[in-house]
């Protein structure tokens, strides 16, 4: 059952960014159905096997998004940027929250800190005071606060699924790993992997995982990350089937504002 849990978590992790991108793209009146976002994302996941970090994934989204929205490349790029920004901030949010709990800091204090940071970040997105005049691109999302909050919540769910996936791998290998330790360390490993210049974080995430889990007196950090990467590789290979079908955007309707 632990292996099945890891597989389900992997699928959720892959789907969440695509749903989030669809939501954000629609706020900018871009022609991008959910089915098309999943199709394009599948191609991106396949190419990310060979290209460094997220270059393949985001590059494919920009390429197909621009083709489907002729003359609106900047809007497409902005939707991808905001998608990445929200995903990254959600990961930092969880790292601070779970890290504070693991270090036995008052959970209420951790919540206050991350809540304040969240409000500050979304004030930037809404265009607040002098900041509004300096980030004109980000303020394009100002009328869509509800979508931004839902995208943030969805991102947290996706990252929690990734954390659960690592926990399931520990269970699969019969390695004792307290859930709180897994929750505290996995976001840090994922942060390092997100800035890696190697395909799928090869050589970075596994090393960081081994060191950090060893510091918490948990063995098998590198093994579970390697198994998780192999599963991600398998899913990405399956996504290669998307190449057999042309990317279309049939049935799209303009997105309205909230």
């Amino acid at each position: 059952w632990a292996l099945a849990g890891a597989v389900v978590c992997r699928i959720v992790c892959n789907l969440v960014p695509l749903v989030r991108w669809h939501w954000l793209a629609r706020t900018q009146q871009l022609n991008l159905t959910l089915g098309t976002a999943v199709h394009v994302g599948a191609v991106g996941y396949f190419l990310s096997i060979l290209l460094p970090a997220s270059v393949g994934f985001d590059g494919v989204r920009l390429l197909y998004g621009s083709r489907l929205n002729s003359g609106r490349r900047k809007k497409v790029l902005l939707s991808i940027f905001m998608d990445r920004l929200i995903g990254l901030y959600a990961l930092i949010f969880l790292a601070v929250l779970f890290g504070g709990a693991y270090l036995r800091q008052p959970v209420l204090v951790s919540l206050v800190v991350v809540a304040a940071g969240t409000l500050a970040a979304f004030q930037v997105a809404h265009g607040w005071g002098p900041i509004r005049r300096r980030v004109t691109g980000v303020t394009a999302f100002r009328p869509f606060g509800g979508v931004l909050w839902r995208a943030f919540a969805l991102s947290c769910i996706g990252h929690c699924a990734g954390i659960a996936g690592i926990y399931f791998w520990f269970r699969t290998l019969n390695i004792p790993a307290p859930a709180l330790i897994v929750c505290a360390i996995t976001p840090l490993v994922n942060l390092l992997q997100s800035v890696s210049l190697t395909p799928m974080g090869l050589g970075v995430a596994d090393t960081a995982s081994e060191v950090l889990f060893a510091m918490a007196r948990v063995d098998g950090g590198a093994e579970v990350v390697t198994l998780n990467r192999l599963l991600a590789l398998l899913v990405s290979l399956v996504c290669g089937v998307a190449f057999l079908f042309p990317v279309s955007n049939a049935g799209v309707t303009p997105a309205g504002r909230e």
Side-chain angles (χ1 to χ4, degrees), residues 32-211:
L32 186 75
T33 65
L34 180 58
T36 300
V38 172
H39 191 170
V40 171
V43 175
Y45 282 129
F46 178 71
L47 290 180
S48 67
I49 298 174
L50 306 174
L51 298 174
S54 60
V55 172
F57 181 63
D58 289 339
V60 168
R61 292 198 292 174
L62 178 60
L63 175 63
Y64 282 103
S66 299
R67 286 182 178 179
L68 295 170
N69 296 273
S70 180
R72 309 185 71 189
R73 180 183 295 267
K74 289 184 179 180
K75 290 278 189 179
V76 175
L77 183 60
L78 180 61
S79 70
I80 295 173
F81 169 76
M82 182 58 73
D83 171 69
R84 281 294 181 182
L85 183 63
I86 293 177
L88 177 62
Y89 188 77
L91 188 57
I92 295 174
F93 176 95
L94 294 177
V96 173
L97 179 62
F98 291 135
Y102 172 65
L103 294 175
R104 292 182 173 83
Q105 299 298 318
V107 176
L108 180 59
V109 174
S110 297
L111 285 172
V112 170
V113 171
V114 292
T118 302
L119 290 173
F122 279 102
Q123 285 291 356
V124 172
H126 281 244
W128 183 31
I131 298 176
R132 178 174 52 199
R133 295 188 290 271
R134 292 176 171 80
V135 284
T136 54
V138 177
T139 58
F141 291 90
R142 183 172 49 181
F144 306 99
V147 176
L148 294 180
W149 281 108
R150 289 199 297 272
F152 175 74
L154 182 66
S155 300
C156 290
I157 292 173
H159 290 314
C160 286
I163 294 171
I166 294 297
Y167 178 76
F168 283 134
W169 280 120
F170 275 114
R171 295 297 299 269
T172 300
L173 296 177
N174 293 318
I175 298 176
L180 183 55
I181 291 179
V182 176
C183 289
I185 293 178
T186 303
L188 299 177
V189 175
N190 291 341
L191 279 172
L192 292 173
Q193 181 173 329
S194 67
V195 298
S196 170
L197 296 179
T198 60
M200 303 184 77
L202 186 64
V204 176
D206 43 2
T207 300
S209 180
E210 182 68 20
V211 172

